[in-house]
Amino acid sequence: MIRWCWLLLALALAMPAHAHGDGVLRIDRAEAVRADWNAWQPPAVGWEPVALADQWQTRWPAHDGVVWYRLRWRQADAAQPTGLLLDYTCMAAAVYLNGSLIDRDASLVEPLSRRWQVPRYFLLQSPLLRTGENELLVRVSGLAAYQPSLGVVDVGDPRILQGRFRQEMLIRHDLQLLDSAIGFVLAAVIGLFWLLRRTETMYGWYALSAVFGRLYDTNFFATSPWPFATTDGWQAFIGGCYAMSAATHAVFLLRFSERRWPRFERLLLGAATAVMALALLWPQWMGPNRNVYLVPTIAFLYLVSFVFMGYALRSGRRDCQVLALCIVVPVAVSLHDLGVYMGWYGGVSYLGAITSPLIVLGMGFVLAYRFARTMQRVEGFNAELRHEVQQATTQLAATLRQQHALELAHSRAGERLQLVRDLHDGFGGTLVGAIARMEQAPQEMPHREMVALLRGMRDDLRLVIDSTAHEHADLAELIVPMRHRASQLLDAAGIDARWHLDDARGVELGANRSLDLLRLLQEALTNVFKHSRARRVDIRVRRSGDRLRLQVEDDGVGLPAAGTGAAAVGGAGLASMRQRAHRLGAELDVRARDGAPGTRVALDVPLAG
């Protein structure tokens, strides 16, 4: 938009020139004579009439050096300020009015200054300007390979000529400079897109193409061939940049069109790289003969552009169509610039910079369009993901309900099995003891003894209740009632029970583990009562660090098939004891005593569950 505003402003400033065209004299006839690089005075002889604009390589094809141009006009009134506009001087020049120097470029020999891009404007007045005939001498330094020339000269109304000068400066210099600056910024932005998304290679190729294109654009506003020592070096470098820009632009269009032609891309980039290398290594040939490779490159760019436009029409892709539409106008304007470059007509202004906002608009739309498409895909993915998550959540909930139902069933089965084992190990043992006492008692057991037996059975049930109801009951407190009941049972059988509790106070195993430990101990004592025929039993409960050690040792008849090894597994009681030991995370050791009759049951329980 800034470019368009500047252009409209320049056109507005130039409007008086058209309104007062009769106030300007155009000089399109002159005399010319060639000279060598060191000629600081025009030759006296050899002048030839020429028509302006004049390109001297058509007359002197191999002349590299200086050509003097002499122009004359008659001034009616020297006191009236007069404008002087030189439309074009290529490559560098010095301007003399009536023998006085009024303008001179910094370097009139190699490396030549570069003011071919811009016009030259002067405000003339006396004493430089004379009433009557005035003579203008223009010393032009140039090389035949680069179209050295002098354009038309206008003399007259300063307002009109100054307006034309501003308009031409805007088109030839200011827009070119602004176009190059914006191009570099756009290349940097697109390059950042590529750095953040390396898979989007088209952005990288566009950024590279824009960088080489903007380097080529410096040809329109650079004032010297620096950093190159000669005009040939500069022109060869500019030609190499154009070839690299064309190749990378073609790869960009391929990637943008979602096409991958690796061999073609390698061939294209290899050719462009070779051109750039030759331009840097052999500038004395690549500069003057740049048309040998630039003209095919220009034709190739036109071909690529038209092929891309055709693809955009067929593809139906909105981003391709918009980008192709933004390319149409620049391609059409480039035909004008091609005519200027080839010298097909007298124009000297390159208009490509005016159309560059269309390219910026096209790439801006491409970025916005692709971002919008990406957001649409992300939103669609999110919606699909939410749907999938909802389905997965529903399925998971159903699975969890089924698993919960199975766990409840398993829990009930486990509780029933636990209840059976508890009844067997606890209440069953008590019941067996009661039956034994009743069998050994007289025919009629006194009422008091019957009550004591029932009270023992009640206490046994209380063991289950107490160990289950108190989650954090002290183990020593739980052992006390069982010790009382077990001692009564064993005393009735004539077995001396001796209890040893070492550092057991403060031990908390939890309800389930405490019950398992007490039931295991109760089963061991029941076995002593029922099978051992012992006279003495020692019960030891001792805490040792993070372990709890339980041992029941009697002096009875010992195990069936007694020996020093582990007892064979047999009977529901021993199986239940092993199951409880497993739940406690301990190993049950049931074996004969070492060197003495009897049995020893040992258990080493970790305090941590």
Side-chain angles (χ1 to χ4, degrees):
M1 291 300 296
I2 295 176
R3 292 191 181 92
W4 293 108
C5 293
W6 283 18
L7 180 60
L8 292 175
L9 178 61
L11 291 176
L13 292 172
M15 287 178 63
H18 298 288
H20 305 281
D22 55 349
V24 174
L25 171 66
R26 169 154 292 183
I27 304 175
D28 57 5
R29 297 287 176 181
E31 294 177 295
V33 61
R34 58 180 172 173
D36 59 30
W37 290 107
N38 298 316
W40 298 106
Q41 296 295 328
V45 296
W47 292 88
E48 300 179 16
V50 296
L52 302 180
D54 175 63
Q55 293 185 359
W56 81 54
Q57 82 277 7
T58 59
R59 185 180 309 102
W60 302 303
H63 178 60
D64 294 338
V66 173
V67 169
W68 288 86
Y69 290 91
R70 183 166 60 195
L71 304 86
R72 294 187 176 93
W73 81 94
R74 297 191 64 80
Q75 182 72 22
D77 184 6
Q80 182 69 28
T82 300
L84 174 65
L85 180 64
L86 277 68
D87 183 55
Y88 185 77
T89 53
C90 182
M91 183 76 60
V95 183
Y96 301 83
L97 177 63
N98 295 322
S100 298
L101 179 67
I102 60 175
D103 188 28
R104 182 184 188 280
D105 289 331
S107 178
L108 299 179
V109 295
E110 282 283 27
L112 292 172
S113 296
R114 302 177 59 79
R115 280 187 66 184
W116 67 275
Q117 317 98 326
V118 295
R120 302 169 190 259
Y121 173 75
F122 311 94
L123 181 62
L124 307 177
Q125 54 189 356
S126 62
L128 289 178
L129 187 64
R130 300 172 183 173
T131 301
E133 186 176 80
N134 290 266
E135 182 181 76
L136 183 71
L137 286 174
V138 182
R139 181 186 186 278
V140 179
S141 300
L143 302 171
Y146 308 117
Q147 301 171 337
S149 61
L150 174 69
V152 295
V153 177
D154 292 329
V155 181
D157 190 338
R159 294 176 304 154
I160 299 175
L161 296 182
Q162 190 174 35
R164 293 180 184 175
F165 171 73
R166 290 175 179 173
Q167 178 181 346
E168 291 299 320
M169 283 294 294
L170 174 64
I171 295 175
R172 297 192 209 173
H173 180 269
D174 297 342
L175 287 183
Q176 299 288 352
L177 184 61
L178 185 61
D179 174 61
S180 182
I182 293 178
F184 274 119
V185 172
L186 183 62
V189 172
I190 302 298
L192 288 176
F193 270 88
W194 173 72
L195 287 176
L196 296 175
R197 289 184 59 84
R198 295 292 185 88
T199 56
E200 298 283 351
T201 55
M202 71 166 189
Y203 293 129
W205 288 111
Y206 178 84
L208 194 60
S209 171
V211 167
F212 282 113
R214 302 297 74 77
L215 288 175
Y216 169 79
D217 288 344
T218 58
N219 188 49
F220 296 100
F221 53 82
T223 59
S224 75
W226 185 87
F228 301 96
T230 63
T231 301
D232 288 342
W234 173 266
Q235 293 296 150
F237 171 73
I238 291 299
C241 289
Y242 188 86
M244 290 297 297
S245 176
T248 51
H249 181 70
V251 176
F252 157 70
L253 291 180
L254 277 175
R255 299 294 175 88
F256 187 80
S257 304
E258 298 179 353
R259 295 290 187 272
R260 289 294 185 94
W261 297 346
R263 293 182 180 177
F264 175 75
E265 291 176 1
R266 286 195 294 268
L267 177 63
L268 189 61
L269 295 173
T273 304
V275 169
M276 176 60 83
L278 290 173
L280 297 175
L281 298 175
W282 196 16
Q284 64 273 19
W285 190 92
M286 296 293 287
N289 297 283
R290 64 194 185 284
N291 285 347
V292 173
Y293 54 91
L294 285 186
V295 171
T297 302
I298 294 171
F300 172 75
L301 267 183
Y302 279 116
L303 177 63
V304 168
S305 299
F306 289 128
V307 169
F308 175 73
M309 293 177 193
Y311 168 78
L313 290 176
R314 296 192 308 271
S315 68
R317 288 175 50 187
R318 186 65 55 84
D319 55 341
C320 283
Q321 293 173 351
V322 170
L323 186 60
L325 185 63
C326 292
I327 290 177
V328 169
V329 175
V331 168
V333 172
S334 69
L335 294 173
H336 166 273
D337 292 350
L338 178 63
V340 172
Y341 173 74
M342 300 300 294
W344 293 339
Y345 52 89
V348 293
S349 298
Y350 290 87
L351 304 179
I354 298 176
T355 63
S356 62
L358 292 175
I359 302 298
V360 175
L361 178 64
M363 287 306 300
F365 176 84
V366 167
L367 292 177
Y369 180 81
R370 288 185 168 249
F371 177 76
R373 290 290 300 273
T374 301
M375 290 304 299
Q376 289 175 356
R377 287 196 295 268
V378 169
E379 291 170 356
F381 174 75
N382 289 339
E384 183 179 355
L385 182 61
R386 283 194 297 269
H387 178 68
E388 295 292 337
V389 169
Q390 185 176 4
Q391 284 187 337
T393 302
T394 303
Q395 294 176 357
L396 180 60
T399 303
L400 289 176
R401 284 195 297 270
Q402 294 175 358
Q403 183 178 358
H404 181 63
L406 290 174
E407 289 178 351
L408 286 178
H410 292 164
S411 177
R412 293 190 185 101
E415 289 175 355
R416 288 195 295 268
L417 181 59
Q418 182 69 23
L419 180 58
V420 169
R421 287 173 176 168
D422 287 341
L423 290 175
H424 173 271
D425 296 345
F427 189 74
T430 304
L431 184 59
V432 168
I435 293 173
R437 289 184 61 184
M438 291 178 67
E439 289 177 344
Q440 296 173 7
Q443 292 184 353
E444 292 185 2
M445 180 177 289
H447 177 71
R448 184 173 297 177
E449 292 185 11
M450 290 290 294
V451 171
L453 287 175
L454 293 175
R455 187 180 288 115
M457 296 171 67
R458 179 203 63 186
D459 292 339
D460 188 72
L461 288 175
R462 186 175 294 167
L463 174 63
V464 178
I465 296 171
D466 291 342
S467 61
T468 305
H470 300 87
E471 181 68 23
H472 301 289
D474 189 284
L475 181 61
E477 295 177 0
L478 295 175
I479 290 178
V480 170
M482 192 191 73
R483 173 182 177 179
H484 174 69
R485 294 192 301 272
S487 296
Q488 286 183 337
L489 178 64
L490 295 171
D491 287 345
I495 302 174
D496 181 17
R498 301 189 181 189
W499 294 78
H500 309 276
L501 302 180
D502 298 332
D503 199 19
R505 192 168 293 277
V507 175
E508 294 182 2
L509 298 178
N512 292 335
R513 301 186 76 213
S514 296
L515 182 58
D516 280 331
L517 182 65
L518 294 178
R519 285 303 190 203
L520 191 147
L521 177 58
Q522 189 176 41
E523 180 66 20
L525 294 176
T526 300
N527 288 337
V528 172
F529 172 78
K530 291 166 56 177
H531 307 296
S532 69
R533 290 183 283 177
R535 307 306 300 168
R536 173 177 169 171
V537 61
D538 291 282
I539 304 99
R540 292 183 175 84
V541 179
R542 181 168 59 90
R543 179 179 182 176
S544 177
D546 60 350
R547 316 285 297 185
L548 183 70
R549 305 186 186 279
L550 173 66
Q551 182 173 298
V552 178
E553 191 174 31
D554 65 70
D555 59 356
V557 297
L559 295 168
T564 58
V569 177
L574 187 55
S576 176
M577 291 171 66
R578 293 193 183 280
Q579 181 65 27
R580 292 183 188 280
H582 177 72
R583 287 204 299 267
L584 287 167
E587 287 292 335
L588 179 66
D589 184 19
V590 182
R591 63 177 64 230
R593 294 174 63 190
D594 295 334
T599 304
R600 183 179 66 193
V601 177
L603 188 71
D604 188 4
V605 182
L607 294 180

